[in-house]
Structure formats: C-alpha cells, structure tokens
Amino acid sequence: MSSKLLLLVTQADLKSLIPFISDLAIPDWNERVMLLTFNENKSIRRRVGSDEFEGNTDLAIEKITAVRFGYCIANKHVALDFSRLSKLMPTLRKCGSLKILKEEVKDALRTLKLHWLDYAQDQWEHSSIQCMNPYEWCHQFSQLGINRKVGENLLKQLKVIPASHLQRSFTVKRGELTGMNVAHAYFEDDEPGSSSLMIRSVLEHIYPNESIIAISPDSFPAISNLSLNRIYIYEDGLWSGVELQKRLTGLSIYEAWKKVPLVFRYAVTSDAGLVVGRMHCALHGFNNVTIEPAENHFSFLENKSECDFLNIKKSDDLRTIIDSAIEPFVFKNRILWKNDLESGRKIMESLGKQLILPFLRRREQAKQQKSGKIVQPLEDIVIRNEKINKWSLGSLKFGSTIVFSSSIPKSVLPIFWLKGQVKWGSAVLIWRPLFWDVRLTDEVQYKTD
C-alpha cells in the first residue's frame, strides 16, 4: 500500500495549494493526498481546550488513524491542538507561511513519487531498454523552443508495465485447470520488436513445457489429436484489435481450432481492442472464443461503450467506425492540458510525422527484401501522407504512453521510441527517445547498470 500525505490548512491556503500541486504532480495525485481545512486561530475563543480546537483535533486524529499517512504538513496557525497530533504523528511538519508550506509539500510530493519527474524516473527505471532519462528527454522540448510543460504533461502519463505484471496476468487460477486438459499458446513472431520471446519465457516459468504451444502466423500446429478441453492464448497487449482480427482469421481456416474453446489473455487491454475482438467474433460466428479484459485496462474510445457498436453488420464497417472513434490517450485528460490541448497535439503530430517517416520507409524496405522484390534506397521510398498522419501519434493515432519493460507497442507516441532529426520553427535537433526499440536499431540496447 502506498504512503499518503495529509495537509491541514486554511481555506485560503487551499485556493493556492490545489493549482500548485496540480502543476507539479501526476493527474491522480488526489488519491494519495488528503486536504482538511480549518479556521485560523485568531479569535481569543479559539484556544486549546475549546470546543472548536478539540472538535478539529478529533477529526484530524480520526483521519490519521483511519488512513496510512506517511507525511502530515500543517499551517501552524490553524485551530488544532498540535501537542495531541504530534504524539500520534511524529513526522508532523508545522509551517508558518504559505511559501514554506509549499516547499514542504513539494518535498513530500517528490519523496512519494507524485512529482512528475520522480514519478517518470521511477516508471522509466522499470524498463530494460532505457535510452534518455526523463529529465534530459524533457529538456529537448526547451531546446526546440517548445514550452517544457508539454514534455512534463507527457511524462505525467508514462506507464511502464513490468514483467511481473505479465506473469500475474498469465497465471490461470488452479481451479480453472482442475480436471481439464489444456494447452498454453503464444504467437511466434520474427518481426523485430516482437514480444513473443518474452511471452514464451514467462509461460515457461508458470506452466510445464509440454503444455506450451508456439503458434506461427504462417503455420498453425495440428491440435486435433491432443484432445484438449481448452487453449489459453497469451499476448502482451490488446490495443486496436487489428492483430487479433488477423489471428482469428488465420485460426478459423483450420476446423480443429474452431471447435476447442479458446481463451485470449492479455497483460494490457483497451476498450477499442475488446470491442473489435468481441464484435469480430460475433460477426464471424467464433462462438468458441473468449477475450478477457486485463487488470491493466485503458480507454481509447471517445465517450463510447461496447453497446454503441452492437448494430455493426460488417467487419469493414467495424474497423472504420472504431478507428474514427479513437481519442488519443495522451490528450484525454483535458484538465491536465488546460488551454494547451490543441497546441500540444499540433506539436506531437508535427514531431511524430518527422520521426515516423524514416521508420515507415525502413518497414517498406524490409518488406521488399522479404518478398524478393527490387529493394529501393530509403530516400526513394514513397509513403502516402494519409499513412504518415495515421502514425503521427502512434499506430492509428492511439497516442499511447503505455509501454512494456522490454518492448514498445506500435500505439505509443513516436517521440517515446524513435530517434531522428526534427525541426520546430527555426530549431533543429537530433531527437533522442526515452526507450530504445529494435524496430529502430535492429537490436535491443539494454541498460548496463
């Protein structure tokens, strides 16, 4: 359980503290910070032993004993019996001015990793593919003449899913397996940046090797002779659902895969991916497929729920409607961006287009090499503007800030994982990302410390 902060302040303090904290802290700071307001101790009738003092102090003690507060900071002029509070809360800090109060609050936010920089650093350190640390990465915005707050707002929303979350998500309760002959499967993929090796490693730590099946996109293992009651299929993330549609279409060709119950399990899911997967199954009669939401579940659809898509009759319509309903994750929190939402989006799209074009050219060149076609020089490969736009905020403009500890989903903002020259106004910079990605370097550059 995370430690929390209790602030005992006046109503006047509150008006200044809330915007101060909101500016420094991550969006959900109020889940770990409690503010209680009291009158100032100016009246002669407000003294230790009076009804107001004792009632206020009883309330503060009630909160302290009910919630685990690691820190308590107070305006020393509020009507409270501090001698009673100090016995219960030895770490209580009393401040004589709003300036000192803010300094103490800032220090507490940093210690609790609620401050944007300490939070981002903590998340970044969960990654095994670190590139530039959050402070230096954020400084690049200033070098381009862009308000540093843009970078801070992005880092406030960074989320690194550690490997331990995959193991927890992939562990099936024993009761589900009792008396069942099951297999645990993963899709084997040779694409650079694929997480299939990591998934296989996690499964081998949980289940017997003989129960683990590798599924290749080009060849599906014969399962008709295995007499299975159920197959669990594991993947790291369900984002747009595009890959899931391809997986289901490939599996449906083989009759045996349409008969045995298939359960898809993920470490991370999105509302868009779940809708696409479930609606695809309904449209194509995949009654044997279950797609489970993950503990780490995120919303990318703009004010819509699964019910809004129930009348879709064709797969093509499903893809078109879902894609048009995507709201970039990084810009969903309008309170965080305040009046800078549109300018922030324009900046991200501009930098994203500049970084994604070389990436898309490399992907196209790799396809030419694989197919045996004439391989064009990178600078001669033409990428349609429509495609560049769709990737400017990550695949299908998902604008995600959610990454795995050893891989980067395509839905993530390009500035998190791509390196390259970018321009903003008259400023030019070789942009360095937060994380290395094998789709950029063709090899993972792991941290060494």
Side-chain angles (χ1 to χ4, degrees):
M1 182 179 178
S2 299
S3 186
K4 298 186 178 184
L5 169 64
L6 176 63
L7 300 178
L8 309 173
V9 297
T10 68
Q11 194 66 40
D13 293 333
L14 194 66
K15 291 179 181 178
S16 179
L17 276 175
I18 288 181
F20 173 76
I21 296 173
S22 297
D23 188 54
L24 292 176
I26 58 176
D28 56 354
W29 63 265
N30 55 355
E31 294 180 7
R32 292 175 59 198
V33 179
M34 180 182 290
L35 297 102
L36 295 180
T37 59
F38 304 95
N39 291 321
E40 282 192 62
N41 180 23
K42 288 183 177 178
S43 170
I44 199 168
R45 290 187 292 272
R46 290 178 184 141
R47 59 185 183 276
V48 175
S50 70
D51 289 344
E52 181 174 354
F53 262 78
E54 296 310 307
N56 289 349
T57 307
D58 288 344
L59 174 61
I61 289 174
E62 178 187 335
K63 298 297 183 183
I64 290 171
T65 53
V67 180
R68 179 187 171 188
F69 288 108
Y71 299 86
C72 183
I73 302 172
N75 178 332
K76 73 175 187 179
H77 301 298
V78 295
L80 287 167
D81 185 348
F82 286 111
S83 63
R84 286 178 62 194
L85 289 176
S86 296
K87 291 176 183 177
L88 186 64
M89 197 79 187
T91 58
L92 172 66
R93 302 298 297 271
K94 294 181 289 183
C95 305
S97 69
L98 181 59
K99 180 181 178 181
I100 296 173
L101 184 66
K102 286 183 175 180
E103 290 174 356
E104 291 287 346
V105 168
K106 182 178 179 179
D107 288 344
L109 292 175
R110 299 210 65 167
T111 303
L112 293 170
K113 293 183 172 59
L114 293 175
H115 187 283
W116 69 267
L117 181 56
D118 300 276
Y119 167 81
Q121 183 72 23
D122 182 61
Q123 290 292 313
W124 183 76
E125 288 176 356
H126 283 104
S127 173
S128 63
I129 48 175
Q130 300 169 359
C131 180
M132 211 169 196
N133 71 53
Y135 179 82
E136 293 174 338
W137 181 84
C138 193
H139 182 61
Q140 293 177 112
F141 288 96
S142 300
Q143 292 177 290
L144 286 171
I146 297 170
N147 189 334
R148 184 188 175 93
K149 284 292 178 186
V150 173
E152 292 179 12
N153 284 347
L154 301 178
L155 290 173
K156 285 180 180 182
Q157 301 178 81
L158 174 64
K159 178 73 174 175
V160 178
I161 307 296
S164 59
H165 282 228
L166 268 71
Q167 183 157 342
R168 187 165 69 235
S169 300
F170 292 172
T171 302
V172 180
K173 293 179 181 178
R174 286 178 177 246
E176 287 188 40
L177 303 177
T178 303
M180 302 277 283
N181 185 23
V182 305
H184 303 281
Y186 68 96
F187 287 96
E188 197 170 40
D189 199 338
D190 60 0
E191 180 188 351
S194 167
S195 56
S196 63
L197 290 177
M198 177 183 62
I199 293 171
R200 184 183 72 185
S201 176
V202 172
L203 294 179
E204 288 174 345
H205 279 82
I206 305 173
Y207 304 112
N209 284 358
E210 60 270 18
S211 69
I212 299 173
I213 297 176
I215 307 173
S216 167
D218 301 317
S219 59
F220 295 89
I223 61 167
S224 55
N225 298 324
L226 298 180
S227 301
L228 295 170
N229 302 115
R230 186 180 299 160
I231 298 178
Y232 291 93
I233 301 178
Y234 303 88
E235 297 208 75
D236 53 2
L238 175 60
W239 304 104
S240 66
V242 170
E243 288 299 320
L244 178 57
Q245 286 179 293
K246 293 178 182 176
R247 311 289 204 205
L248 290 170
T249 300
L251 290 171
S252 67
I253 298 172
Y254 302 90
E255 194 64 29
W257 284 91
K258 296 166 69 175
K259 293 180 179 179
V260 63
L262 305 177
V263 180
F264 282 81
R265 298 194 70 155
Y266 297 87
V268 177
T269 51
S270 76
D271 52 358
L274 283 178
V275 169
V276 168
R278 290 169 175 172
M279 289 300 299
H280 184 90
C281 289
L283 290 170
H284 295 276
F286 295 131
N287 300 319
N288 62 318
V289 174
T290 301
I291 305 166
E292 298 184 345
E295 176 186 342
N296 293 294
H297 182 74
F298 299 92
S299 175
F300 290 84
L301 294 175
E302 187 174 13
N303 300 319
K304 292 183 181 294
S305 68
E306 189 168 345
C307 298
D308 296 313
F309 304 98
L310 294 179
N311 293 326
I312 297 174
K313 304 299 182 185
K314 298 178 182 178
S315 286
D316 290 344
D317 293 341
L318 172 63
R319 190 72 264 167
T320 301
I321 293 171
I322 289 290
D323 292 350
S324 65
I326 295 298
E327 181 179 20
F329 181 79
V330 73
F331 298 117
K332 287 181 75 72
N333 190 330
R334 286 169 168 75
I335 295 175
L336 171 66
W337 287 95
K338 299 176 185 174
N339 297 324
D340 299 324
L341 182 66
E342 288 306 315
S343 61
R345 179 161 181 159
K346 287 178 181 177
I347 292 167
M348 287 304 96
E349 288 180 338
S350 175
L351 299 183
K353 288 176 185 178
Q354 295 175 65
L355 290 169
I356 207 68
L357 177 57
F359 165 76
L360 293 175
R361 282 174 168 165
R362 286 194 298 272
R363 285 217 325 173
E364 186 60 35
Q365 190 181 68
K367 289 179 183 177
Q368 293 174 354
Q369 291 171 338
K370 191 172 182 179
S371 65
K373 295 179 180 178
I374 296 175
V375 178
Q376 297 174 276
L378 285 174
E379 60 273 15
D380 292 344
I381 296 176
V382 177
I383 306 294
R384 292 178 293 107
N385 286 333
E386 180 185 0
K387 189 169 187 178
I388 296 172
N389 288 334
K390 280 188 175 182
W391 277 85
S392 62
L393 298 175
S395 178
L396 298 176
K397 289 198 169 185
F398 261 61
S400 176
T401 57
I402 307 153
V403 306
F404 295 102
S405 59
S406 59
S407 65
I408 312 295
K410 299 170 188 173
S411 56
V412 172
L413 289 169
I415 60 169
F416 274 24
W417 55 279
L418 284 174
K419 176 183 177 181
Q421 180 175 290
V422 293
K423 297 180 182 179
W424 183 258
S426 60
V428 181
L429 180 72
I430 300 300
W431 185 269
R432 294 184 65 199
L434 279 169
F435 308 101
W436 290 113
D437 189 84
V438 294
R439 287 171 297 215
L440 168 66
T441 63
D442 293 327
E443 62 179 8
V444 180
Q445 300 191 31
Y446 288 96
K447 63 181 181 182
T448 56
D449 57 341

